[in-house]
């Protein structure tokens, strides 16, 4: 055990490991906060759809040789998030079908563009890295770390300041509208926050595993706690712990970062499920 | 709850600015960056950093193990040798070119993809108006 801790301290001396831990924790915190809202609004799969949109946008950015991909990926993802959440009620193509359509469409277009126009010598590596995160979180530059930190702080601040409104819109949007609340505006805020989280989380777990980061902590917390506040706090704590644990196991054992974090989330869900079963008896 | 979330976020950001780089060793057999002691995820990330910010590693003695890759170039009429490592998902590879110390013919090298250990000084060189990076005066064992 002391050998493991010794190795861990050696690894923690590397700046990129510290950056990864900080960014990973921030992303886990942000994603879990919104995860509760998304699960309750039955939008669990929106993270998957938007992450595929982000993948498509990254492919466009790569083809256009945009130096800072975030400048293109973030606006496109935000626009798609707004479209998906706003048109859910009245659109001809309803919520789940619209998400599925945009999801696979963006994924296909992204891969097609990368195949046709990419100048990279390692196309499969680029695709794999984007889809599964690979070691992206361990290869962040200082500027990317600061960008992630600033965006994470904004997300947390928005969630904290609009907590009561998000709570109302999440549980009963019709009632919120009836009381004079501008539910559309708050749905828009939720959409923007979701898009920012998705773009950030692509570095941590890749675009295929983002949904797990959003829904597992929320679902685990819901097995044990029943109030919105308790579920949110538990979900945030659990998500941060699993992300930290996943990243530490990954650097120590040499496993892929994204899938190790998701495996930790799954194990936590199993434990909370059993605790929940015990509590109901 | 608001106070707790804001405090936690502030602590996390402060953590990023703590600590420093690993110190260099000293003596004739010093190794500044020993990649053989790191896990595969760590090795890939460190080599990525060496390739993306090479100026931070110039003059440092690097020890790494990986697979030998051989690149014959028709343009320069030279053969380049590199030590390649893959990431944990095995979809991405990073490598560093090395120059085996002493005089060697291609037949002295092991077969391609042989697992090798290389120790050399990270340095830059210019070729065709381009700057490249390699491990010079490298000792190779396999």
């Amino acid at each position: 055990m002391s050998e493991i801790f010794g190795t861990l301290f050696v690894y923690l001396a590397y700046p990129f490991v510290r950056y990864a831990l900080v960014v990973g924790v921030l992303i886990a915190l942000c994603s879990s906060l919104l995860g509760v809202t998304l699960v309750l609004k039955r939008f669990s799969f929106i993270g998957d759809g938007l992450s595929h949109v982000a993948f498509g946008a990254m492919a466009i950015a790569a083809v256009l040789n945009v130096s800072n991909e975030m400048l293109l990926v973030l606006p496109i993802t935000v626009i798609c998030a707004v479209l998906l959440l706003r048109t859910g009620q009245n659109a001809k193509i309803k919520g789940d079908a619209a998400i599925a359509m945009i999801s696979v469409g963006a994924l296909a277009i992204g891969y097609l563009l990368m195949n046709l126009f990419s100048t990279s010598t390692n196309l499969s590596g680029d695709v794999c890295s984007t889809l599964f995160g690979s070691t992206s979180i361990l290869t962040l530059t200082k500027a990317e770390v600061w960008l992630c930190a600033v965006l994470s702080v904004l997300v947390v601040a928005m969630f904290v300041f609009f907590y009561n409104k998000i709570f109302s819109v999440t549980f009963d949007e019709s009632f919120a509208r009836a009381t004079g609340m501008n539910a559309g505006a708050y749905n828009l805020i939720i959409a923007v926050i979701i898009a920012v989280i998705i773009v950030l989380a692509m570095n941590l777990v890749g675009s295929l595993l983002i949904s797990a980061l959003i829904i597992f902590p929320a679902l685990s917390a819901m097995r044990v706690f029943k109030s919105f506040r308790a579920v949110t706090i538990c979900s945030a704590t659990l998500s941060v712990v699993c992300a930290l644990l996943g990243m530490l196991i990954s650097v120590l054992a040499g496993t892929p970062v994204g899938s190790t974090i998701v495996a930790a989330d799954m194990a936590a869900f199993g434990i909370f499920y059993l605790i929940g079963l015990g509590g109901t008896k | 709850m608001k106070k707790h979330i804001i405090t936690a976020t502030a602590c996390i950001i402060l953590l990023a600015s703590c600590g420093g780089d690993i110190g260099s060793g000293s003596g004739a057999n010093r190794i500044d960056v020993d990649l053989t002691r790191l896990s595969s995820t760590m090795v890939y990330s460190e080599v990525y950093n060496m390739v993306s910010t090479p100026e931070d590693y110039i003059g440092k003695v690097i020890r790494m193990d990986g697979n030998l890759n051989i690149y014959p170039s028709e343009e320069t009429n030279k053969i380049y040798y590199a030590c390649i490592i893959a990431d944990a998902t095995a979809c991405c590879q990073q490598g560093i070119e090395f120059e085996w110390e002493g005089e060697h013919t291609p037949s002295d090298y092991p077969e391609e993809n042989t697992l090798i250990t290389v120790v050399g000084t990270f340095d830059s060189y210019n070729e065709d108006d381009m700057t490249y990076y390699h491990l010079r005066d490298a000792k190779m064992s396999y």
Side-chain angles (χ1 to χ4, degrees):
Chain A
M1 186 60 92
S2 62
E3 194 182 324
I4 292 173
F5 280 111
T7 310
L8 190 60
F9 280 118
V10 170
Y11 287 176
L12 285 173
Y14 286 84
F16 64 82
V17 175
R18 293 198 303 276
Y19 293 161
L21 291 176
V22 169
V23 171
V25 165
L26 286 171
I27 292 171
L29 180 67
C30 294
S31 58
S32 61
L33 290 179
L34 258 290
V36 180
T37 301
L38 291 178
V39 169
L40 289 172
K41 281 172 80 69
R42 303 196 182 282
F43 271 118
S44 299
F45 222 56
I46 200 168
D48 203 58
L50 287 177
S51 63
H52 291 175
V53 169
F55 171 78
M58 279 180 95
I60 295 170
V63 169
L64 295 176
N65 254 335
V66 178
S67 56
N68 190 349
E69 290 175 339
M70 197 82 93
L71 294 173
L72 190 73
V73 177
L74 197 55
I76 291 177
T77 315
V78 167
I79 290 167
C80 286
V82 171
L83 287 174
L84 282 175
L85 279 182
R86 282 181 72 90
T87 58
Q89 300 294 323
N90 306 316
K92 286 179 182 171
I93 302 172
K94 294 289 179 190
D96 59 338
I99 292 173
M101 198 177 72
I102 289 186
S103 173
V104 292
L107 195 63
I109 293 295
Y111 189 53
L112 191 65
L113 285 174
M114 284 180 99
N115 261 283
L116 289 177
F117 302 108
S118 178
T119 51
S120 170
T121 51
N122 184 15
L123 180 65
S124 59
D126 289 349
V127 172
C128 175
S129 181
T130 316
L131 291 180
F132 295 102
S134 193
T135 51
S136 305
I137 194 75
L138 288 161
T139 55
L140 296 174
T141 62
K142 204 174 256 186
E144 287 170 329
V145 174
W146 276 111
L147 184 63
C148 278
V150 169
L151 289 174
S152 301
V153 169
L154 282 176
V155 167
V156 173
M158 286 179 91
F159 184 83
V160 170
F161 289 123
F162 295 113
Y163 175 78
N164 290 323
K165 308 291 183 190
I166 290 172
F167 174 81
S168 305
V169 173
T170 301
F171 273 101
D172 197 338
E173 194 175 320
S174 305
F175 181 74
R177 281 182 197 277
T179 57
M181 189 189 289
N182 189 352
Y186 291 109
N187 273 332
L188 183 70
I189 289 171
I190 293 172
V192 172
I193 295 175
I194 294 164
V196 172
I197 292 169
I198 296 295
V199 174
L200 290 179
M202 280 184 78
N203 277 325
L204 185 61
V205 292
S207 64
L208 284 185
L209 302 175
I210 284 176
S211 287
L213 208 62
I214 292 172
I215 59 168
F216 268 118
L219 288 173
S220 303
M222 283 173 193
R223 299 304 101 196
V224 177
F225 298 99
K226 300 300 167 200
S227 78
F228 186 74
R229 176 176 293 209
V231 167
T232 305
I233 293 172
C234 177
S235 170
T237 310
L238 192 63
S239 182
V240 167
V241 169
C242 287
L244 264 178
L245 198 65
M247 282 188 286
L248 292 178
I249 291 172
S250 172
V251 293
L252 284 169
T255 53
V257 183
S259 40
T260 311
I261 292 173
V262 175
D265 277 319
M266 287 171 70
F269 177 77
I271 293 166
F272 274 66
Y273 183 79
L274 292 175
I275 294 171
L277 278 182
T280 52
K281 280 180 184 174
Chain B
M1 186 172 76
K2 290 179 185 180
K3 204 165 40 175
H4 293 308
I5 293 176
I6 291 167
T7 310
T9 311
C11 290
I12 292 161
I13 293 168
L14 275 173
L15 180 69
S17 57
C18 297
D21 289 333
I22 288 177
S24 298
S26 59
N29 295 319
R30 82 175 211 272
I31 303 287
D32 298 313
V33 181
D34 190 353
L35 298 175
T36 60
R37 291 176 58 199
L38 304 179
S39 71
S40 61
T41 302
M42 287 290 293
V43 173
Y44 181 84
S45 306
E46 181 69 339
V47 174
Y48 179 92
N49 282 321
M50 290 168 71
V51 173
S52 55
T53 56
E55 61 278 6
D56 294 343
Y57 294 87
I58 293 286
K60 288 190 174 180
V61 180
I62 315 286
R63 175 157 67 192
M64 67 185 295
D65 49 21
N67 296 99
L68 175 69
N69 260 239
I70 302 167
Y71 301 100
S73 170
E74 289 178 2
E75 287 177 24
T76 58
N77 206 23
K78 283 168 69 177
I79 301 174
Y80 300 91
Y81 300 91
C83 184
I84 302 285
I85 54 106
D87 76 333
T89 53
C91 64
C92 303
Q93 290 187 327
Q94 295 283 347
I96 298 178
E97 185 196 335
F98 66 90
E99 185 189 77
W100 196 1
E101 71 173 355
E103 294 289 321
H104 298 281
T105 60
S107 60
D108 294 336
Y109 286 83
E111 280 185 18
E112 194 162 19
N113 291 322
T114 302
L115 191 65
I116 56 169
T117 300
V118 180
V119 183
T121 306
F122 194 77
D123 206 354
S124 63
Y125 67 94
N126 290 308
E127 202 170 83
D128 296 333
D129 297 328
M130 293 281 285
T131 303
Y132 298 94
Y133 297 91
H134 68 167
L135 299 180
R136 67 172 157 77
D137 303 329
K139 293 178 176 65
M140 180 177 68
S141 56
Y142 54 93

